[in-house]
Amino acid sequence: MPEPANERRRVAFFGGSFDPPHLGHIGVARAAQAALHLDTVLFAPVGVQPLKPVGSTASFEDRVAMTELAIKGQHQFAISFADAPDPGGRPNYTFDTLVRLRQQFASVTLFTLMGADSLLDLRRWYRGAEIPVVAPLIVASRPGQPLEDLAAILPEGMTIAEDTAVEDVAEVHLRIFTLRSAAGGSTPFYLLPGLEIEISASDIRSQVSAAIDRRCVGHELLPDAVCEYIAEHGLYRHE
C-alpha cells in the first residue's frame, strides 16, 4: 500500500503473553511495520488472559524484562503497560485496553496486530466483534493456518470482502479487506499471508532448556539477550 499522505502517527498494539518473546514476534512486528508504514509497534505483555486460566509460565515482571531486551535498539518498537495486571485481579480484556488506548492517543491511527491463532479465537473474545472497529486488525499468518475462509472465522454478524489483490510492500505480501458489522459499520482488515513465521511460544519454551544447556550457543529461536536472561533467572526449567 502507498505511504499514507496524512501526518497522523500510525501505531499498532501487539498484545500477548510474550512467554517468552522470540524472533517470531519480532519478525511479525517488522513485517507489519513495513507493510502498513507503522510509526510504532507497542509490545504489550498481558497480565491475565481470560481464555488462559492457568496463566503464564513466567511472571509479568520477567516477561516485561525479556520483551524489553528483545526489542532493545529497535526505535520503532516500544514496551507498553496497557495490558498490565489489574490491581483487583480482573482479567485483561483486549477491547477495554484498546478503548483506553484510543482515549490516550486520540490523534493516532491505532491498529491491532495479532497472529492467526488469535483471529481464530476472536469469536470467543469479550466483545470480539467490536475490536476491529476500535482498532483495525493486522493479522499475520503462521504455518498450518492459511486462513482461506475468513468469513467462517469472524465473529457472528460480520462479513468480509477483499478490496485489492495481493500487494508486495517492502517485500511483504499484503491483502486488504473490508469488514462490515451487522449494524452496518465498516472497517479495514489487513492480512499478511506469506510470512510463514512460527510464533507459538509454547513450542519454543519446550526447546529453551536445550538452548540453555548449550549456554545459548547455536539457538535460532530467541534473541541472545532473552536466552541469557532465561538462563540467568532459571526460567522454563520444567517445560
Side-chain angles (χ1 to χ4, degrees):
M1 63 183 294
E3 190 164 351
N6 62 50
E7 296 182 359
R8 286 171 64 94
R9 294 186 68 251
R10 297 165 65 83
V11 175
F13 169 83
F14 189 14
S17 297
F18 298 109
D19 190 24
H22 51 75
L23 295 177
H25 294 126
I26 303 301
V28 164
R30 284 176 177 163
Q33 188 279 320
L36 276 299
H37 307 292
L38 301 173
D39 294 290
T40 306
V41 177
L42 298 176
F43 284 69
V46 65
V48 178
Q49 289 187 321
L51 299 181
K52 294 183 179 180
V54 175
S56 302
T57 301
S59 70
F60 178 74
E61 293 75 16
D62 281 327
R63 291 183 286 118
V64 166
M66 288 188 288
T67 304
E68 289 178 325
L69 290 170
I71 65 175
K72 185 176 181 179
Q74 303 184 69
H75 71 279
Q76 289 169 317
F77 298 164
I79 197 76
S80 169
F81 291 91
D83 244 357
D86 182 85
R90 183 174 179 266
N92 297 80
Y93 294 104
T94 299
F95 175 83
D96 292 341
T97 300
L98 291 172
V99 168
R100 289 195 300 270
L101 285 173
R102 279 286 298 270
Q103 294 170 346
Q104 181 180 353
F105 301 113
S107 62
V108 162
T109 300
L110 184 65
F111 301 87
T112 305
L113 175 59
M114 62 174 61
D117 51 349
S118 294
L119 179 66
L120 291 169
D121 246 357
L122 193 60
R123 285 174 176 247
R124 301 172 58 210
W125 288 23
Y126 172 68
R127 301 180 74 167
E130 299 174 64
I131 289 174
V133 178
V134 177
L137 302 183
I138 306 170
V139 177
S141 70
R142 56 181 290 192
Q145 295 180 324
L147 302 181
E148 293 171 344
D149 190 357
L150 288 168
I153 296 170
L154 295 170
E156 187 175 354
M158 301 201 80
T159 61
I160 187 167
E162 188 158 11
D163 292 342
T164 65
V166 174
E167 298 182 16
D168 287 326
V169 184
E171 301 183 356
V172 178
H173 292 303
L174 173 67
R175 294 174 66 185
I176 305 174
F177 301 78
T178 296
L179 292 180
R180 288 186 170 82
S181 67
S186 64
T187 185
F189 174 96
Y190 305 95
L191 179 65
L192 306 176
L195 297 186
E196 294 300 304
I197 295 174
E198 178 56 60
I199 58 172
S200 172
S202 59
D203 293 338
I204 286 176
R205 287 196 301 271
S206 68
Q207 302 176 42
V208 164
S209 293
I212 291 173
D213 290 342
R214 296 193 301 270
R215 301 182 65 84
C216 294
V217 174
H219 68 88
E220 300 177 349
L221 305 173
L222 303 170
D224 291 342
V226 173
C227 191
E228 291 164 4
Y229 183 97
I230 291 170
E232 180 180 347
H233 291 80
L235 304 180
Y236 310 119
R237 288 295 189 183
H238 302 295
E239 288 288 317

mmCIF file of all heavy atoms in Angstrom, residues 75-120:
data_model
loop_
_atom_site.group_PDB
_atom_site.id
_atom_site.type_symbol
_atom_site.label_atom_id
_atom_site.label_comp_id
_atom_site.label_asym_id
_atom_site.label_seq_id
_atom_site.Cartn_x
_atom_site.Cartn_y
_atom_site.Cartn_z
ATOM 1 N N HIS A 75 14.068 1.287 17.253
ATOM 2 C CA HIS A 75 13.392 2.517 17.654
ATOM 3 C C HIS A 75 11.913 2.532 17.316
ATOM 4 O O HIS A 75 11.149 3.327 17.877
ATOM 5 C CB HIS A 75 14.088 3.735 17.032
ATOM 6 C CG HIS A 75 13.889 3.866 15.555
ATOM 7 N ND1 HIS A 75 14.637 3.152 14.638
ATOM 8 C CD2 HIS A 75 13.016 4.616 14.829
ATOM 9 C CE1 HIS A 75 14.248 3.466 13.418
ATOM 10 N NE2 HIS A 75 13.264 4.341 13.498
ATOM 11 N N GLN A 76 11.464 1.674 16.397
ATOM 12 C CA GLN A 76 10.044 1.661 16.049
ATOM 13 C C GLN A 76 9.240 0.682 16.902
ATOM 14 O O GLN A 76 8.033 0.538 16.701
ATOM 15 C CB GLN A 76 9.876 1.345 14.560
ATOM 16 C CG GLN A 76 10.335 2.511 13.677
ATOM 17 C CD GLN A 76 10.438 2.139 12.231
ATOM 18 O OE1 GLN A 76 10.939 1.078 11.882
ATOM 19 N NE2 GLN A 76 9.968 3.030 11.359
ATOM 20 N N PHE A 77 9.897 0.028 17.837
ATOM 21 C CA PHE A 77 9.221 -0.850 18.783
ATOM 22 C C PHE A 77 9.315 -0.234 20.172
ATOM 23 O O PHE A 77 10.326 0.365 20.539
ATOM 24 C CB PHE A 77 9.861 -2.232 18.816
ATOM 25 C CG PHE A 77 9.808 -2.988 17.507
ATOM 26 C CD1 PHE A 77 10.627 -4.085 17.294
ATOM 27 C CD2 PHE A 77 8.950 -2.603 16.491
ATOM 28 C CE1 PHE A 77 10.577 -4.793 16.102
ATOM 29 C CE2 PHE A 77 8.897 -3.298 15.294
ATOM 30 C CZ PHE A 77 9.713 -4.393 15.100
ATOM 31 N N ALA A 78 8.245 -0.414 20.962
ATOM 32 C CA ALA A 78 8.235 0.124 22.319
ATOM 33 C C ALA A 78 7.458 -0.810 23.236
ATOM 34 O O ALA A 78 6.543 -1.514 22.795
ATOM 35 C CB ALA A 78 7.605 1.518 22.346
ATOM 36 N N ILE A 79 7.835 -0.822 24.507
ATOM 37 C CA ILE A 79 7.106 -1.605 25.504
ATOM 38 C C ILE A 79 5.880 -0.809 25.936
ATOM 39 O O ILE A 79 5.897 0.425 25.975
ATOM 40 C CB ILE A 79 8.006 -1.930 26.718
ATOM 41 C CG1 ILE A 79 7.412 -3.059 27.551
ATOM 42 C CG2 ILE A 79 8.260 -0.691 27.553
ATOM 43 C CD1 ILE A 79 7.581 -4.419 26.944
ATOM 44 N N SER A 80 4.805 -1.517 26.233
ATOM 45 C CA SER A 80 3.579 -0.871 26.698
ATOM 46 C C SER A 80 3.062 -1.623 27.925
ATOM 47 O O SER A 80 3.073 -2.853 27.963
ATOM 48 C CB SER A 80 2.506 -0.882 25.604
ATOM 49 O OG SER A 80 1.245 -0.479 26.123
ATOM 50 N N PHE A 81 2.599 -0.857 28.910
ATOM 51 C CA PHE A 81 1.988 -1.431 30.101
ATOM 52 C C PHE A 81 0.468 -1.327 30.046
ATOM 53 O O PHE A 81 -0.200 -1.436 31.078
ATOM 54 C CB PHE A 81 2.527 -0.734 31.353
ATOM 55 C CG PHE A 81 3.978 -1.044 31.624
ATOM 56 C CD1 PHE A 81 4.982 -0.231 31.106
ATOM 57 C CD2 PHE A 81 4.343 -2.155 32.365
ATOM 58 C CE1 PHE A 81 6.321 -0.521 31.339
ATOM 59 C CE2 PHE A 81 5.677 -2.445 32.596
ATOM 60 C CZ PHE A 81 6.667 -1.632 32.084
ATOM 61 N N ALA A 82 -0.065 -1.146 28.846
ATOM 62 C CA ALA A 82 -1.512 -1.000 28.697
ATOM 63 C C ALA A 82 -2.276 -2.240 29.142
ATOM 64 O O ALA A 82 -3.437 -2.159 29.544
ATOM 65 C CB ALA A 82 -1.851 -0.679 27.245
ATOM 66 N N ASP A 83 -1.626 -3.408 29.070
ATOM 67 C CA ASP A 83 -2.271 -4.664 29.452
ATOM 68 C C ASP A 83 -1.677 -5.223 30.744
ATOM 69 O O ASP A 83 -1.712 -6.439 30.981
ATOM 70 C CB ASP A 83 -2.123 -5.701 28.338
ATOM 71 C CG ASP A 83 -3.467 -6.106 27.741
ATOM 72 O OD1 ASP A 83 -4.497 -5.628 28.241
ATOM 73 O OD2 ASP A 83 -3.484 -6.899 26.789
ATOM 74 N N ALA A 84 -1.136 -4.352 31.584
ATOM 75 C CA ALA A 84 -0.548 -4.792 32.856
ATOM 76 C C ALA A 84 -1.623 -5.394 33.757
ATOM 77 O O ALA A 84 -2.820 -5.138 33.575
ATOM 78 C CB ALA A 84 0.118 -3.603 33.552
ATOM 79 N N PRO A 85 -1.214 -6.208 34.738
ATOM 80 C CA PRO A 85 -2.196 -6.834 35.627
ATOM 81 C C PRO A 85 -3.106 -5.810 36.295
ATOM 82 O O PRO A 85 -2.664 -4.747 36.732
ATOM 83 C CB PRO A 85 -1.315 -7.553 36.657
ATOM 84 C CG PRO A 85 -0.033 -7.814 35.946
ATOM 85 C CD PRO A 85 0.171 -6.625 35.040
ATOM 86 N N ASP A 86 -4.386 -6.135 36.361
ATOM 87 C CA ASP A 86 -5.355 -5.288 37.033
ATOM 88 C C ASP A 86 -5.165 -5.400 38.546
ATOM 89 O O ASP A 86 -5.027 -6.518 39.066
ATOM 90 C CB ASP A 86 -6.769 -5.725 36.651
ATOM 91 C CG ASP A 86 -7.836 -4.846 37.271
ATOM 92 O OD1 ASP A 86 -8.147 -3.814 36.678
ATOM 93 O OD2 ASP A 86 -8.337 -5.204 38.361
ATOM 94 N N PRO A 87 -5.126 -4.277 39.267
ATOM 95 C CA PRO A 87 -4.923 -4.337 40.726
ATOM 96 C C PRO A 87 -5.949 -5.206 41.443
ATOM 97 O O PRO A 87 -5.656 -5.795 42.482
ATOM 98 C CB PRO A 87 -5.043 -2.865 41.152
ATOM 99 C CG PRO A 87 -4.697 -2.084 39.937
ATOM 100 C CD PRO A 87 -5.211 -2.886 38.785
ATOM 101 N N GLY A 88 -7.150 -5.309 40.871
ATOM 102 C CA GLY A 88 -8.183 -6.116 41.506
ATOM 103 C C GLY A 88 -8.199 -7.565 41.051
ATOM 104 O O GLY A 88 -9.082 -8.335 41.446
ATOM 105 N N GLY A 89 -7.234 -7.939 40.201
ATOM 106 C CA GLY A 89 -7.158 -9.323 39.735
ATOM 107 C C GLY A 89 -8.083 -9.640 38.573
ATOM 108 O O GLY A 89 -8.217 -10.805 38.184
ATOM 109 N N ARG A 90 -8.725 -8.633 37.997
ATOM 110 C CA ARG A 90 -9.640 -8.852 36.880
ATOM 111 C C ARG A 90 -8.851 -9.233 35.627
ATOM 112 O O ARG A 90 -7.763 -8.705 35.394
ATOM 113 C CB ARG A 90 -10.430 -7.567 36.628
ATOM 114 C CG ARG A 90 -11.480 -7.632 35.533
ATOM 115 C CD ARG A 90 -12.281 -6.334 35.512
ATOM 116 N NE ARG A 90 -13.281 -6.321 34.464
ATOM 117 C CZ ARG A 90 -13.096 -5.814 33.246
ATOM 118 N NH1 ARG A 90 -11.920 -5.265 32.947
ATOM 119 N NH2 ARG A 90 -14.063 -5.830 32.350
ATOM 120 N N PRO A 91 -9.382 -10.123 34.807
ATOM 121 C CA PRO A 91 -8.691 -10.459 33.555
ATOM 122 C C PRO A 91 -8.529 -9.236 32.666
ATOM 123 O O PRO A 91 -9.298 -8.270 32.756
ATOM 124 C CB PRO A 91 -9.621 -11.494 32.902
ATOM 125 C CG PRO A 91 -10.422 -12.053 34.023
ATOM 126 C CD PRO A 91 -10.613 -10.924 34.994
ATOM 127 N N ASN A 92 -7.529 -9.290 31.795
ATOM 128 C CA ASN A 92 -7.298 -8.210 30.834
ATOM 129 C C ASN A 92 -8.094 -8.503 29.566
ATOM 130 O O ASN A 92 -7.882 -9.540 28.927
ATOM 131 C CB ASN A 92 -5.814 -8.107 30.499
ATOM 132 C CG ASN A 92 -4.968 -7.754 31.702
ATOM 133 O OD1 ASN A 92 -4.654 -8.616 32.517
ATOM 134 N ND2 ASN A 92 -4.601 -6.499 31.816
ATOM 135 N N TYR A 93 -8.978 -7.600 29.212
ATOM 136 C CA TYR A 93 -9.775 -7.749 28.005
ATOM 137 C C TYR A 93 -9.254 -6.794 26.941
ATOM 138 O O TYR A 93 -9.153 -5.579 27.162
ATOM 139 C CB TYR A 93 -11.250 -7.477 28.291
ATOM 140 C CG TYR A 93 -11.885 -8.494 29.206
ATOM 141 C CD1 TYR A 93 -12.141 -8.201 30.544
ATOM 142 C CD2 TYR A 93 -12.215 -9.771 28.737
ATOM 143 C CE1 TYR A 93 -12.715 -9.140 31.382
ATOM 144 C CE2 TYR A 93 -12.790 -10.716 29.569
ATOM 145 C CZ TYR A 93 -13.033 -10.390 30.899
ATOM 146 O OH TYR A 93 -13.591 -11.334 31.729
ATOM 147 N N THR A 94 -8.940 -7.330 25.773
ATOM 148 C CA THR A 94 -8.356 -6.521 24.703
ATOM 149 C C THR A 94 -9.251 -5.354 24.327
ATOM 150 O O THR A 94 -8.761 -4.252 24.067
ATOM 151 C CB THR A 94 -8.068 -7.403 23.477
ATOM 152 O OG1 THR A 94 -7.123 -8.420 23.840
ATOM 153 C CG2 THR A 94 -7.501 -6.592 22.326
ATOM 154 N N PHE A 95 -10.553 -5.574 24.285
ATOM 155 C CA PHE A 95 -11.472 -4.493 23.942
ATOM 156 C C PHE A 95 -11.286 -3.304 24.887
ATOM 157 O O PHE A 95 -11.154 -2.158 24.446
ATOM 158 C CB PHE A 95 -12.923 -4.981 23.987
ATOM 159 C CG PHE A 95 -13.923 -3.884 23.772
ATOM 160 C CD1 PHE A 95 -14.247 -3.467 22.492
ATOM 161 C CD2 PHE A 95 -14.523 -3.253 24.853
ATOM 162 C CE1 PHE A 95 -15.156 -2.430 22.297
ATOM 163 C CE2 PHE A 95 -15.433 -2.224 24.664
ATOM 164 C CZ PHE A 95 -15.759 -1.814 23.382
ATOM 165 N N ASP A 96 -11.275 -3.568 26.191
ATOM 166 C CA ASP A 96 -11.119 -2.491 27.175
ATOM 167 C C ASP A 96 -9.775 -1.786 27.009
ATOM 168 O O ASP A 96 -9.685 -0.552 27.109
ATOM 169 C CB ASP A 96 -11.231 -3.055 28.598
ATOM 170 C CG ASP A 96 -12.628 -3.547 28.918
ATOM 171 O OD1 ASP A 96 -13.584 -3.151 28.226
ATOM 172 O OD2 ASP A 96 -12.764 -4.352 29.860
ATOM 173 N N THR A 97 -8.722 -2.566 26.774
ATOM 174 C CA THR A 97 -7.388 -1.985 26.606
ATOM 175 C C THR A 97 -7.343 -1.061 25.393
ATOM 176 O O THR A 97 -6.793 0.041 25.457
ATOM 177 C CB THR A 97 -6.339 -3.103 26.451
ATOM 178 O OG1 THR A 97 -6.355 -3.930 27.609
ATOM 179 C CG2 THR A 97 -4.950 -2.527 26.265
ATOM 180 N N LEU A 98 -7.940 -1.490 24.289
ATOM 181 C CA LEU A 98 -7.925 -0.681 23.076
ATOM 182 C C LEU A 98 -8.739 0.602 23.240
ATOM 183 O O LEU A 98 -8.352 1.661 22.732
ATOM 184 C CB LEU A 98 -8.458 -1.494 21.897
ATOM 185 C CG LEU A 98 -7.567 -2.648 21.437
ATOM 186 C CD1 LEU A 98 -8.289 -3.494 20.405
ATOM 187 C CD2 LEU A 98 -6.249 -2.125 20.871
ATOM 188 N N VAL A 99 -9.852 0.515 23.944
ATOM 189 C CA VAL A 99 -10.650 1.725 24.193
ATOM 190 C C VAL A 99 -9.834 2.736 24.994
ATOM 191 O O VAL A 99 -9.834 3.940 24.698
ATOM 192 C CB VAL A 99 -11.958 1.364 24.925
ATOM 193 C CG1 VAL A 99 -12.655 2.627 25.441
ATOM 194 C CG2 VAL A 99 -12.885 0.597 23.998
ATOM 195 N N ARG A 100 -9.118 2.253 26.006
ATOM 196 C CA ARG A 100 -8.269 3.159 26.793
ATOM 197 C C ARG A 100 -7.178 3.775 25.930
ATOM 198 O O ARG A 100 -6.874 4.974 26.037
ATOM 199 C CB ARG A 100 -7.655 2.415 27.984
ATOM 200 C CG ARG A 100 -8.638 2.058 29.083
ATOM 201 C CD ARG A 100 -7.903 1.657 30.351
ATOM 202 N NE ARG A 100 -7.042 0.508 30.155
ATOM 203 C CZ ARG A 100 -7.427 -0.754 30.321
ATOM 204 N NH1 ARG A 100 -8.669 -1.024 30.689
ATOM 205 N NH2 ARG A 100 -6.583 -1.750 30.131
ATOM 206 N N LEU A 101 -6.569 2.956 25.060
ATOM 207 C CA LEU A 101 -5.514 3.477 24.188
ATOM 208 C C LEU A 101 -6.057 4.506 23.210
ATOM 209 O O LEU A 101 -5.400 5.515 22.921
ATOM 210 C CB LEU A 101 -4.842 2.331 23.431
ATOM 211 C CG LEU A 101 -3.890 1.454 24.240
ATOM 212 C CD1 LEU A 101 -3.434 0.256 23.412
ATOM 213 C CD2 LEU A 101 -2.674 2.249 24.709
ATOM 214 N N ARG A 102 -7.255 4.273 22.696
ATOM 215 C CA ARG A 102 -7.861 5.237 21.780
ATOM 216 C C ARG A 102 -8.075 6.580 22.475
ATOM 217 O O ARG A 102 -7.896 7.642 21.883
ATOM 218 C CB ARG A 102 -9.201 4.694 21.268
ATOM 219 C CG ARG A 102 -9.093 3.698 20.124
ATOM 220 C CD ARG A 102 -8.736 4.365 18.809
ATOM 221 N NE ARG A 102 -9.753 5.310 18.397
ATOM 222 C CZ ARG A 102 -10.793 4.995 17.634
ATOM 223 N NH1 ARG A 102 -10.946 3.730 17.197
ATOM 224 N NH2 ARG A 102 -11.665 5.901 17.297
ATOM 225 N N GLN A 103 -8.463 6.515 23.743
ATOM 226 C CA GLN A 103 -8.655 7.744 24.510
ATOM 227 C C GLN A 103 -7.326 8.427 24.805
ATOM 228 O O GLN A 103 -7.211 9.653 24.765
ATOM 229 C CB GLN A 103 -9.402 7.429 25.809
ATOM 230 C CG GLN A 103 -10.828 6.941 25.593
ATOM 231 C CD GLN A 103 -11.462 6.406 26.864
ATOM 232 O OE1 GLN A 103 -10.781 6.143 27.864
ATOM 233 N NE2 GLN A 103 -12.771 6.221 26.840
ATOM 234 N N GLN A 104 -6.306 7.608 25.089
ATOM 235 C CA GLN A 104 -4.988 8.146 25.427
ATOM 236 C C GLN A 104 -4.302 8.750 24.209
ATOM 237 O O GLN A 104 -3.611 9.771 24.308
ATOM 238 C CB GLN A 104 -4.122 7.035 26.019
ATOM 239 C CG GLN A 104 -2.729 7.481 26.432
ATOM 240 C CD GLN A 104 -1.909 6.330 27.009
ATOM 241 O OE1 GLN A 104 -2.423 5.225 27.225
ATOM 242 N NE2 GLN A 104 -0.640 6.582 27.257
ATOM 243 N N PHE A 105 -4.483 8.105 23.056
ATOM 244 C CA PHE A 105 -3.831 8.553 21.819
ATOM 245 C C PHE A 105 -4.896 8.975 20.814
ATOM 246 O O PHE A 105 -5.041 8.365 19.754
ATOM 247 C CB PHE A 105 -2.958 7.439 21.247
ATOM 248 C CG PHE A 105 -1.874 6.956 22.158
ATOM 249 C CD1 PHE A 105 -1.916 5.674 22.688
ATOM 250 C CD2 PHE A 105 -0.814 7.769 22.502
ATOM 251 C CE1 PHE A 105 -0.912 5.217 23.532
ATOM 252 C CE2 PHE A 105 0.191 7.331 23.340
ATOM 253 C CZ PHE A 105 0.145 6.049 23.861
ATOM 254 N N ALA A 106 -5.620 10.025 21.134
ATOM 255 C CA ALA A 106 -6.755 10.450 20.316
ATOM 256 C C ALA A 106 -6.349 10.869 18.910
ATOM 257 O O ALA A 106 -7.133 10.745 17.961
ATOM 258 C CB ALA A 106 -7.494 11.592 21.013
ATOM 259 N N SER A 107 -5.124 11.344 18.743
ATOM 260 C CA SER A 107 -4.687 11.837 17.442
ATOM 261 C C SER A 107 -3.913 10.792 16.640
ATOM 262 O O SER A 107 -3.333 11.108 15.595
ATOM 263 C CB SER A 107 -3.810 13.080 17.618
ATOM 264 O OG SER A 107 -2.640 12.768 18.360
ATOM 265 N N VAL A 108 -3.921 9.548 17.094
ATOM 266 C CA VAL A 108 -3.153 8.468 16.461
ATOM 267 C C VAL A 108 -4.096 7.517 15.720
ATOM 268 O O VAL A 108 -5.224 7.270 16.157
ATOM 269 C CB VAL A 108 -2.360 7.694 17.538
ATOM 270 C CG1 VAL A 108 -1.922 6.333 17.036
ATOM 271 C CG2 VAL A 108 -1.144 8.505 17.976
ATOM 272 N N THR A 109 -3.648 6.986 14.590
ATOM 273 C CA THR A 109 -4.360 5.903 13.921
ATOM 274 C C THR A 109 -3.902 4.590 14.549
ATOM 275 O O THR A 109 -2.729 4.218 14.441
ATOM 276 C CB THR A 109 -4.069 5.895 12.413
ATOM 277 O OG1 THR A 109 -4.487 7.143 11.845
ATOM 278 C CG2 THR A 109 -4.807 4.760 11.722
ATOM 279 N N LEU A 110 -4.826 3.924 15.243
ATOM 280 C CA LEU A 110 -4.484 2.751 16.037
ATOM 281 C C LEU A 110 -4.904 1.468 15.324
ATOM 282 O O LEU A 110 -6.006 1.377 14.782
ATOM 283 C CB LEU A 110 -5.175 2.835 17.404
ATOM 284 C CG LEU A 110 -4.872 1.740 18.418
ATOM 285 C CD1 LEU A 110 -3.408 1.781 18.852
ATOM 286 C CD2 LEU A 110 -5.795 1.874 19.638
ATOM 287 N N PHE A 111 -4.011 0.471 15.356
ATOM 288 C CA PHE A 111 -4.276 -0.845 14.792
ATOM 289 C C PHE A 111 -4.087 -1.908 15.882
ATOM 290 O O PHE A 111 -3.460 -1.647 16.909
ATOM 291 C CB PHE A 111 -3.311 -1.163 13.638
ATOM 292 C CG PHE A 111 -3.351 -0.194 12.498
ATOM 293 C CD1 PHE A 111 -2.561 0.955 12.512
ATOM 294 C CD2 PHE A 111 -4.151 -0.419 11.393
ATOM 295 C CE1 PHE A 111 -2.582 1.855 11.456
ATOM 296 C CE2 PHE A 111 -4.183 0.478 10.327
ATOM 297 C CZ PHE A 111 -3.396 1.617 10.366
ATOM 298 N N THR A 112 -4.617 -3.099 15.614
ATOM 299 C CA THR A 112 -4.373 -4.252 16.474
ATOM 300 C C THR A 112 -3.625 -5.299 15.675
ATOM 301 O O THR A 112 -4.128 -5.793 14.657
ATOM 302 C CB THR A 112 -5.695 -4.871 16.983
ATOM 303 O OG1 THR A 112 -6.467 -3.876 17.633
ATOM 304 C CG2 THR A 112 -5.413 -6.010 17.949
ATOM 305 N N LEU A 113 -2.420 -5.632 16.102
ATOM 306 C CA LEU A 113 -1.610 -6.652 15.445
ATOM 307 C C LEU A 113 -1.760 -7.964 16.184
ATOM 308 O O LEU A 113 -1.642 -8.012 17.416
ATOM 309 C CB LEU A 113 -0.145 -6.212 15.424
ATOM 310 C CG LEU A 113 0.887 -7.199 14.880
ATOM 311 C CD1 LEU A 113 0.586 -7.582 13.439
ATOM 312 C CD2 LEU A 113 2.297 -6.614 14.999
ATOM 313 N N MET A 114 -2.043 -9.033 15.455
ATOM 314 C CA MET A 114 -2.201 -10.339 16.087
ATOM 315 C C MET A 114 -1.805 -11.451 15.120
ATOM 316 O O MET A 114 -1.719 -11.250 13.903
ATOM 317 C CB MET A 114 -3.643 -10.568 16.540
ATOM 318 C CG MET A 114 -4.672 -10.583 15.432
ATOM 319 S SD MET A 114 -6.359 -11.025 15.998
ATOM 320 C CE MET A 114 -6.719 -9.729 17.155
ATOM 321 N N GLY A 115 -1.565 -12.630 15.679
ATOM 322 C CA GLY A 115 -1.312 -13.811 14.869
ATOM 323 C C GLY A 115 -2.612 -14.479 14.471
ATOM 324 O O GLY A 115 -3.687 -14.184 15.016
ATOM 325 N N ALA A 116 -2.514 -15.410 13.520
ATOM 326 C CA ALA A 116 -3.709 -16.094 13.046
ATOM 327 C C ALA A 116 -4.405 -16.875 14.151
ATOM 328 O O ALA A 116 -5.623 -17.017 14.155
ATOM 329 C CB ALA A 116 -3.335 -17.034 11.898
ATOM 330 N N ASP A 117 -3.625 -17.394 15.117
ATOM 331 C CA ASP A 117 -4.246 -18.163 16.196
ATOM 332 C C ASP A 117 -5.200 -17.288 16.999
ATOM 333 O O ASP A 117 -6.261 -17.745 17.446
ATOM 334 C CB ASP A 117 -3.183 -18.794 17.102
ATOM 335 C CG ASP A 117 -2.146 -17.807 17.597
ATOM 336 O OD1 ASP A 117 -2.098 -16.670 17.091
ATOM 337 O OD2 ASP A 117 -1.365 -18.173 18.492
ATOM 338 N N SER A 118 -4.852 -16.019 17.185
ATOM 339 C CA SER A 118 -5.741 -15.105 17.897
ATOM 340 C C SER A 118 -6.997 -14.821 17.085
ATOM 341 O O SER A 118 -8.109 -14.765 17.632
ATOM 342 C CB SER A 118 -5.023 -13.796 18.222
ATOM 343 O OG SER A 118 -3.966 -14.011 19.142
ATOM 344 N N LEU A 119 -6.847 -14.634 15.781
ATOM 345 C CA LEU A 119 -8.016 -14.397 14.940
ATOM 346 C C LEU A 119 -8.971 -15.592 14.993
ATOM 347 O O LEU A 119 -10.195 -15.419 15.041
ATOM 348 C CB LEU A 119 -7.590 -14.133 13.501
ATOM 349 C CG LEU A 119 -8.738 -13.885 12.524
ATOM 350 C CD1 LEU A 119 -9.464 -12.585 12.871
ATOM 351 C CD2 LEU A 119 -8.238 -13.843 11.087
ATOM 352 N N LEU A 120 -8.430 -16.788 14.992
ATOM 353 C CA LEU A 120 -9.266 -17.983 15.041
ATOM 354 C C LEU A 120 -10.074 -18.071 16.329
ATOM 355 O O LEU A 120 -11.101 -18.742 16.381
ATOM 356 C CB LEU A 120 -8.392 -19.238 14.890
ATOM 357 C CG LEU A 120 -7.757 -19.424 13.509
ATOM 358 C CD1 LEU A 120 -6.711 -20.535 13.551
ATOM 359 C CD2 LEU A 120 -8.823 -19.731 12.463
#
